[in-house]
Amino acid sequence: MPEQTHPRWPTRLWIVRHGQSAGNVARDRAHEAGEHHIDIDMRDVDVPLSELGEQQSDALGRWFAQGQGHGRPDVILASPYVRARETARRFRDAGGADADEPICADERLREKEFGILDGLTTAGIRALQPDQADFRRLLGKFYHRPPGGESWCDVIFRLRSLLDTVSLHYGGRQVMIVAHQVVVLCLRYIIENLSEAEILAIDKAGDVANCSVTEYAFDPTAGKDGGLTLVRYNVTASMEQDAVAEVTSEPDTPVAARG
């Protein structure tokens, strides 16, 4: 077999969910009040981090700067959504990466699009879009696509393209992706070649925490050409050892402000 001259995958890949956002806070408030709509007066793409989300992002950067991340990224890819880009920027500025490391926005990492369900609470979907609530129960979250929105399969389709780009341009590099809860889970589905049942079981077992780290390392013995092997999933040690940042997570419901 000829020697491989260009590594196919990054030596290490970190996938991070953004810090807590103002949308997460508004969503919790709407659910507690039993309201149908989440009180957000801006596009989902523009929703910023909450104050706690800023602290979580800073804590993650300090944790990597202290050597707890198994290295530091020399490539940072982020969802174009403000909450993801700000998480990446604060992570870098807190020492998680070199100060001049660019943050590359990639639209394929954007939040799952919820279409007509955008901005509705679970109660709001049942009350205002009962047909969609029934379709989702019938099809399950993996295949249900609300009008104007995406299913998990749609997200997976664009993430396969994203990983092709990572393989082509960032082989042998240390790459961090900063995105959203569904993106974290769908990347696991692709990288680990999971089934629908397996990824939904992982999702059901626990939420992806804000600013948690999912980490892969390249293993030359994995498969014929080597592959990425899971090192750890949904790790929140950076916040647990930080006296300022509290661990937060949100359940995966079809509400745009949640992601």
Side-chain angles (χ1 to χ4, degrees):
M1 179 181 296
E3 183 178 350
Q4 189 174 10
T5 58
H6 179 74
R8 180 182 177 189
W9 292 111
T11 57
R12 198 161 297 270
L13 173 65
W14 300 276
I15 307 170
V16 174
R17 186 188 174 196
H18 63 76
Q20 185 195 58
S21 72
N24 296 148
V25 176
R27 176 193 176 278
D28 285 347
R29 192 161 51 235
H31 273 278
E32 290 170 3
E35 296 172 353
H36 291 169
H37 292 90
I38 299 171
D39 185 18
I40 292 289
D41 60 355
M42 64 184 73
R43 299 183 308 164
D44 188 37
V45 66
D46 298 322
V47 173
L49 293 173
S50 67
E51 182 177 354
L52 176 56
E54 294 176 347
Q55 295 170 357
Q56 292 170 336
S57 305
D58 295 344
L60 183 63
R62 290 192 292 269
W63 192 66
F64 268 71
Q66 294 164 6
Q68 302 300 311
H70 299 160
R72 294 163 76 235
D74 56 30
V75 175
I76 301 177
L77 307 176
S79 160
Y81 283 39
V82 168
R83 55 189 178 270
R85 290 191 290 109
E86 281 297 287
T87 297
R89 182 188 65 79
R90 296 188 74 98
F91 163 84
R92 179 196 63 191
D93 294 351
D98 289 345
D100 61 351
E101 185 63 51
I103 296 166
C104 304
D106 193 305
E107 294 73 18
R108 292 169 294 184
L109 291 170
R110 68 187 185 276
E111 171 64 292
K112 176 181 179 290
E113 295 180 359
F114 294 95
I116 62 171
L117 304 183
D118 190 14
L120 296 180
T121 62
T122 303
I125 294 171
R126 288 196 297 263
L128 304 176
Q129 296 289 342
D131 287 347
Q132 291 303 313
D134 288 342
F135 286 146
R136 189 173 189 272
R137 280 193 294 270
L138 175 65
L139 297 173
K141 67 170 66 176
F142 195 81
Y143 287 106
H144 176 243
R145 179 193 293 139
E150 294 179 299
S151 67
W152 277 35
C153 288
D154 295 320
V155 177
I156 288 165
F157 183 75
R158 53 177 158 93
L159 291 177
R160 289 192 186 279
S161 168
L162 180 281
L163 286 177
D164 283 346
T165 300
V166 169
S167 174
L168 179 64
H169 294 290
Y170 304 123
R173 305 282 293 277
Q174 299 195 96
V175 178
M176 175 173 283
I177 290 172
V178 183
H180 309 270
Q181 173 163 270
V182 173
V183 171
V184 175
L185 291 164
C186 289
L187 284 171
R188 281 204 66 180
Y189 172 87
I190 299 169
I191 294 170
E192 299 173 46
N193 195 28
L194 301 176
S195 66
E196 174 192 0
E198 287 170 329
I199 194 59
L200 291 182
I202 292 170
D203 174 50
K204 186 176 181 180
D207 304 325
V208 179
N210 294 111
C211 268
S212 65
V213 176
T214 297
E215 179 184 348
Y216 292 89
F218 180 74
D219 180 357
T221 68
K224 295 180 180 178
D225 300 313
L228 294 172
T229 301
L230 184 68
V231 176
R232 46 188 173 179
Y233 168 63
N234 205 18
V235 172
T236 58
S238 61
M239 289 165 282
E240 291 163 5
Q241 75 175 29
D242 194 292
V244 177
E246 174 188 351
V247 177
T248 58
S249 62
E250 299 294 331
D252 182 28
T253 55
V255 180
R258 182 258 334 130

